[in-house]
Amino acid sequence: MTKPLDGIRIIDFTHVQAGPACTQLLAWYGADVIKVERPGSGDVTRSQLRDIPGADALYFTMLNGNKRSLTLDTKTQEGKEVLEKMIKTSDVMVENFGPGALDRMGFSWARIQELNPKMIMASVKGFSDGHSYEDLKVYENVAQCAGGAASTTGFWDGPPTVSAAALGDSNTGMHLAIGILTALMQRQKTGKGQKVSCSMQDAVLNLCRVKLRDQQRLDKIGYLEEYPQYPHGTFSDVVPRGGNAGGGGQPGWVLKCKGWETDPNAYIYFTIQGHAWEPITKALGKPEWATDPAYMTAEARQDKIFDIFATIEEWLKDKTKYEAVDILRKFDIPCAPVLSMKELAASPDLRKSGSIVEVDHKVRGKYLTIGSPIKFSDLEIEVGPSPVLGEHTNEVLTDLGYSADDIAKLHAAKAV
């Protein structure tokens, strides 16, 4: 079946996570993604956190499926010539080098435009161009701190906390993929390529927009009524950490279920929405709360919210998290079990939907990876394995018009 990005060739000059997450997404949707790697070593994640000696690490395999691997030494003249041919015949180049790296390589934006005016040059950055920190090296947790996530995550009596979710890396890659697709659509109208970039700080900040909302509210009125600190606590002039409170204004908390003493994930997240209050009272066996003025409104409940959560937790103590959710869902109460990665890996629902898939790698064998989080009614996503280092070098060179003798000479020159 023809895929939406069939015919789009992408030079993938990225490494580690943010860039590879972006290009893998585009590869799933049909783009020919050629991962350009250093001969002999390749992407650093091939050897990072290995679980099988001699095999590519899961860190690499889970971010580079459906791609082709070309080894290329762009420090050699022969390597530069190969890259020039690639630029002339490709649609997109994605990179996450340090500032000025491509210029030093001899491939400035002006040179790339000269070779291919239709080229879209997409870059992952730590901070936006012109930012006072633009030369600062940025990793996942650095981005979470710089983008506002860490300062608003955790409990009020503890330090800022980073999330296990890749808000800085994979999230930036998803944002950049949207930028690339947008630039491709614009090129259809103008015939011109352009530069596209997404900074990790900006991508994190985009996911923290409700906290920017809260900062402005706090500046106006001096308190935030949906935070656990209200009404008995105090507020400073910055958005506080709210523990497990919901960011949307509906009180919510992580509550213990049966078995919490031995199972660190025997919890559910329970949300108290206004329209669900009457069903909640029925589920808990507290129907009198539905008409009691002290509990009827969100405002009335706020100063008693932790007493309410304690009552819910008492109701939960003889129920597993799954049993509790099965009961509560019948009352249309927003809730979910706290699921461990082990439980998610084994989930039949996620396997059925293609959100988690098993693929077969020629060296490491079968492994689990993430499938497309986006589902389509008329597009089947085939998630394939990652390439071994240089697996498609000769194939890509042949596509570029090199003869067998030419390819042999490139190998002899150690350009590939």
Side-chain angles (χ1 to χ4, degrees):
M1 182 176 66
T2 300
K3 294 186 176 178
L5 298 183
D6 279 348
I8 299 296
R9 176 173 286 176
I10 298 175
I11 303 171
D12 183 358
F13 253 131
T14 70
H15 54 282
V16 191
Q17 185 175 168
C22 167
T23 52
Q24 177 172 255
L25 191 75
L26 301 175
W28 283 341
Y29 304 150
D32 177 18
V33 176
I34 301 171
K35 187 172 181 72
V36 182
E37 300 185 76
R38 184 180 302 171
S41 56
D43 191 317
V44 66
T45 60
R46 284 186 181 272
S47 58
Q48 244 179 8
L49 305 174
R50 270 189 172 135
D51 57 316
I52 300 176
D56 288 332
L58 287 165
Y59 197 178
F60 178 85
T61 65
M62 294 179 71
L63 286 159
N64 291 283
N66 295 59
K67 302 178 185 180
R68 297 198 286 172
S69 172
L70 163 74
T71 51
L72 185 66
D73 185 352
T74 56
K75 293 180 180 178
T76 67
Q77 182 57 38
E78 296 87 349
K80 292 181 190 296
E81 290 172 2
V82 172
L83 184 54
E84 284 190 0
K85 285 193 175 186
M86 291 183 70
I87 291 171
K88 290 177 180 178
T89 59
S90 298
D91 300 279
V92 182
M93 179 187 285
V94 189
E95 60 89 19
N96 60 349
F97 293 121
L102 278 173
D103 290 356
R104 292 190 295 273
M105 199 184 295
F107 292 92
S108 65
W109 172 233
R111 176 60 177 150
I112 291 170
Q113 284 183 300
E114 182 182 298
L115 292 168
N116 184 355
K118 293 186 176 182
M119 175 63 75
I120 292 163
M121 180 69 169
S123 303
V124 173
K125 298 178 176 295
F127 296 88
S128 294
D129 289 339
H131 194 288
S132 56
Y133 288 165
E134 69 176 331
D135 61 342
L136 189 65
K137 183 172 281 189
V138 177
Y139 294 114
E140 173 63 51
N141 292 348
V142 175
Q144 290 195 33
C145 291
S151 72
T152 55
T153 303
F155 284 83
W156 44 89
D157 56 354
T161 304
V162 297
S163 168
L167 306 180
D169 277 325
S170 285
N171 170 48
T172 303
M174 302 302 105
H175 278 78
L176 188 62
I178 294 169
I180 291 169
L181 295 173
T182 302
L184 285 169
M185 291 292 289
Q186 184 167 340
R187 191 180 71 177
Q188 289 183 0
K189 299 176 181 179
T190 66
K192 297 179 181 179
Q194 63 178 300
K195 292 176 73 174
V196 179
S197 67
C198 184
S199 84
M200 296 171 77
Q201 182 189 42
D202 290 349
V204 174
L205 177 59
N206 188 37
L207 297 190
C208 292
R209 66 179 66 189
V210 297
K211 299 303 180 181
L212 183 59
R213 171 205 69 189
D214 292 347
Q215 183 63 57
Q216 294 173 88
R217 293 169 54 228
L218 183 63
D219 291 342
K220 289 281 188 183
I221 60 178
Y223 62 89
L224 298 167
E225 72 232 11
E226 76 278 17
Y227 280 66
Q229 291 88 332
Y230 179 85
H232 302 304
T234 58
F235 289 86
S236 70
D237 62 348
V238 299
V239 175
R241 291 182 276 283
N244 290 314
Q250 300 85 24
W253 210 251
V254 172
L255 302 175
K256 300 171 184 172
C257 293
K258 181 181 178 181
W260 68 271
E261 299 90 343
T262 57
D263 180 354
N265 294 299
Y267 292 80
I268 67 168
Y269 193 84
F270 192 104
T271 302
I272 299 176
Q273 283 187 310
H275 75 271
W277 179 242
E278 185 174 353
I280 288 171
T281 65
K282 292 178 181 178
L284 298 178
K286 290 280 189 179
E288 66 276 13
W289 279 359
T291 54
D292 186 338
Y295 291 90
M296 283 175 61
T297 66
E299 292 76 14
R301 292 190 292 270
Q302 185 60 37
D303 65 344
K304 297 178 283 293
I305 196 66
F306 283 102
D307 293 331
I308 294 170
F309 285 137
T311 299
I312 299 171
E313 209 162 55
E314 178 68 20
W315 179 82
L316 290 167
K317 70 179 183 181
D318 63 347
K319 302 170 183 68
T320 68
K321 60 186 178 184
Y322 297 110
E323 291 169 342
V325 170
D326 280 343
I327 293 170
L328 297 170
R329 64 198 283 205
K330 296 173 183 175
F331 291 87
D332 199 25
I333 296 169
C335 63
V338 173
L339 296 175
S340 68
M341 297 312 300
K342 188 177 183 69
E343 289 168 310
L344 290 167
S347 168
D349 292 319
L350 296 179
R351 300 288 187 97
K352 182 179 178 181
S353 69
S355 298
I356 290 181
V357 298
E358 184 177 74
V359 297
D360 197 4
H361 189 273
K362 62 171 58 179
V363 177
R364 69 171 299 121
K366 295 185 183 300
Y367 66 96
L368 293 183
T369 191
I370 300 299
S372 174
I374 306 165
K375 313 302 182 189
F376 302 87
S377 66
D378 197 28
L379 175 61
E380 183 178 347
I381 307 301
E382 299 172 6
V383 176
S386 63
V388 298
L389 181 61
E391 179 178 349
H392 304 95
T393 296
N394 290 354
E395 179 180 292
V396 172
L397 293 173
T398 300
D399 290 349
L400 291 172
Y402 285 90
S403 68
D405 287 343
D406 293 334
I407 293 172
K409 289 176 183 178
L410 288 170
H411 282 286
K414 298 184 177 179
V416 295

